[in-house]
C-alpha cells in the first residue's frame, strides 16, 4: 500500500470513528448537484398530519462557510455510501474497552432517521460537513458525545488497513444550544512506513433541537497526513449558526 493510500484510509477511519455517515461529504457530490438535497425514509404513502418544511432548507447557506469555500450538497445516497465505507473497518481493534463503547455510541445509523440533509464545504485541505436529521433516536445522543472524553481520553487502534494508531480526545467548549449540545476534538496519529507520522485532526459537534439533530464535523483532508490547524472557536461559532439557521427555517 502506498503512503498516500494509507493516509487516505487513515482519514476514512478517523472520520468514521465518530460520525461515519458524514464522511462522504468530503467528496462534495457531482458538479451538477443542486445546492440543497434531502431524502425521506418515510414511504410516499405516509399519512403525516401536516407537511413539514423541506429539511434541507435548515442547512447553512453557502456564504456561511466563507468566500473561498467550495460548497456542495450531499445526497442521502452519498451518505449511505459513506456509512458503507466505514464498514470496511469492521476489523478495527479499539482499546481500552471503554473507548470502543464511546466510539460506537457516537456513530448514527442513517436507517434510523426519518429525514436527512447534508452539505459539505471545502477550503484548501479543510473539509466541513453539516448533517441535519429529523426523527429517529436523538435522545441520549448529546450525552454520549459529551461523556466520550471522560470515558476515553485516549484510544489505541489496530487494523490491517492502517496498522497501529493513537486517537486522543479533548472536550471543546460550545454554547448551550437547543435541547443539548456538545463538541470535541480528536486527533488520530499513525506511524507511516518511512518513519514519519500522519496526523488527522477532527472537530465534531452536535446539537439536539426537538426531534432534529445537527451534526457538524471539520477535518484536515491533507493527503500528506501533515494535518491542518483547525480553529475550535470558529467551529463552535459555525455550529451555533447552524443551530440558529435550522431553528429559523423549520420551526
Amino acid at each position: 500500500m502506498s503512503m498516500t493510500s494509507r493516509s487516505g484510509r487513515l482519514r476514512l477511519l478517523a472520520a468514521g470513528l465518530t460520525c461515519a455517515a458524514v464522511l462522504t461529504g468530503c467528496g462534495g457530490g457531482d458538479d451538477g448537484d443542486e445546492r440543497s438535497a434531502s431524502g425521506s425514509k418515510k414511504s410516499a404513502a405516509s399519512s403525516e398530519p401536516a407537511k413539514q418544511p423541506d429539511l434541507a432548507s435548515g442547512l447553512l447557506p453557502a456564504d456561511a462557510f466563507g468566500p473561498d469555500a467550495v460548497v456542495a450538497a450531499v445526497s442521502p445516497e452519498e451518505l449511505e455510501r459513506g456509512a458503507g465505507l466505514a464498514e470496511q473497518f469492521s476489523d478495527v481493534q479499539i482499546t481500552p474497552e471503554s473507548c470502543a463503547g464511546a466510539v460506537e455510541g457516537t456513530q448514527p445509523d442513517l436507517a434510523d432517521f426519518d429525514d436527512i440533509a447534508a452539505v459539505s464545504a471545502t477550503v484548501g485541505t479543510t473539509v466541513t460537513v453539516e448533517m441535519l436529521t429529523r426523527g429517529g433516536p436523538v435522545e441520549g445522543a448529546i450525552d454520549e458525545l459529551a461523556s466520550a472524553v471522560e470515558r476515553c481520553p485516549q484510544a489505541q487502534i489496530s487494523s490491517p488497513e492502517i496498522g497501529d494508531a493513537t486517537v486522543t480526545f479533548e472536550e471543546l467548549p460550545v454554547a448551550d444550544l437547543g435541547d443539548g449540545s456538545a463538541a470535541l476534538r480528536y486527533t488520530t496519529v499513525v506511524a507511516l512506513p518511512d518513519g514519519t507520522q500522519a496526523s488527522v485532526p477532527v472537530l465534531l459537534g452536535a446539537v439536539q433541537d426537538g426531534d432534529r439533530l445537527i451534526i457538524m464535523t471539520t477535518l484536515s483532508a491533507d493527503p500528506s497526513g501533515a494535518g491542518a490547524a483547525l480553529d475550535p472557536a470558529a467551529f463552535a461559532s459555525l455550529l451555533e449558526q447552524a443551530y440558529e439557521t435550522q431553528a429559523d427555517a423549520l420551526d
Side-chain angles (χ1 to χ4, degrees):
M1 182 186 300
S2 70
M3 189 182 309
T4 299
S5 173
R6 187 174 183 181
S7 182
R9 286 180 177 271
L10 170 61
R11 291 197 305 279
L12 286 178
L13 175 62
L17 283 175
T18 53
C19 190
V22 281
L23 176 62
T24 306
C26 300
D30 297 329
D31 291 342
D33 284 352
E34 295 293 330
R35 163 58 186 82
S36 62
S38 67
S40 176
K41 300 292 182 182
K42 292 184 179 297
S43 164
S46 177
S47 56
E48 294 183 22
K51 183 174 175 59
Q52 294 180 305
D54 178 26
L55 190 64
S57 67
L59 292 169
L60 284 168
D63 59 9
F65 298 98
D68 299 324
V70 177
V71 181
V74 184
S75 72
E77 292 74 23
E78 289 173 310
L79 291 170
E80 292 283 4
R81 287 198 294 272
L85 285 174
E87 292 176 2
Q88 295 179 14
F89 298 100
S90 58
D91 58 351
V92 168
Q93 300 297 312
I94 303 172
T95 55
E97 235 177 89
S98 58
C99 287
V103 168
E104 291 165 3
T106 55
Q107 296 184 33
D109 186 344
L110 294 182
D112 291 338
F113 295 102
D114 298 333
D115 204 3
I116 302 167
V119 64
S120 71
T122 304
V123 180
T125 61
T126 299
V127 179
T128 296
V129 180
E130 179 195 4
M131 185 170 75
L132 181 58
T133 72
R134 180 161 50 198
V138 297
E139 293 299 327
I142 301 301
D143 290 340
E144 287 283 355
L145 184 60
S147 62
V149 175
E150 181 179 349
R151 285 180 290 151
C152 179
Q154 188 174 85
Q156 302 298 319
I157 295 174
S158 179
S159 162
E161 287 88 356
I162 67 163
D164 296 324
T166 300
V167 185
T168 303
F169 297 85
E170 303 170 79
E171 185 177 355
L172 291 181
V174 65
D176 185 9
L177 304 170
D179 297 310
S181 55
L184 59 81
R185 168 171 45 207
Y186 65 100
T187 305
T188 304
V189 178
V190 64
L192 297 177
D194 65 353
T196 62
Q197 290 185 327
S199 177
V200 182
V202 180
L203 306 180
L204 174 71
V207 182
Q208 181 187 346
D209 188 12
D211 70 340
R212 297 190 296 271
L213 191 64
I214 305 134
I215 303 171
M216 182 172 291
T217 183
T218 295
L219 68 151
S220 166
D222 185 349
S224 71
L230 303 180
D231 186 341
F235 178 81
S237 178
L238 192 64
L239 182 64
E240 184 171 359
Q241 187 177 347
Y243 163 72
E244 293 170 349
T245 297
Q246 61 84 37
D248 290 342
L250 302 174
D251 287 341

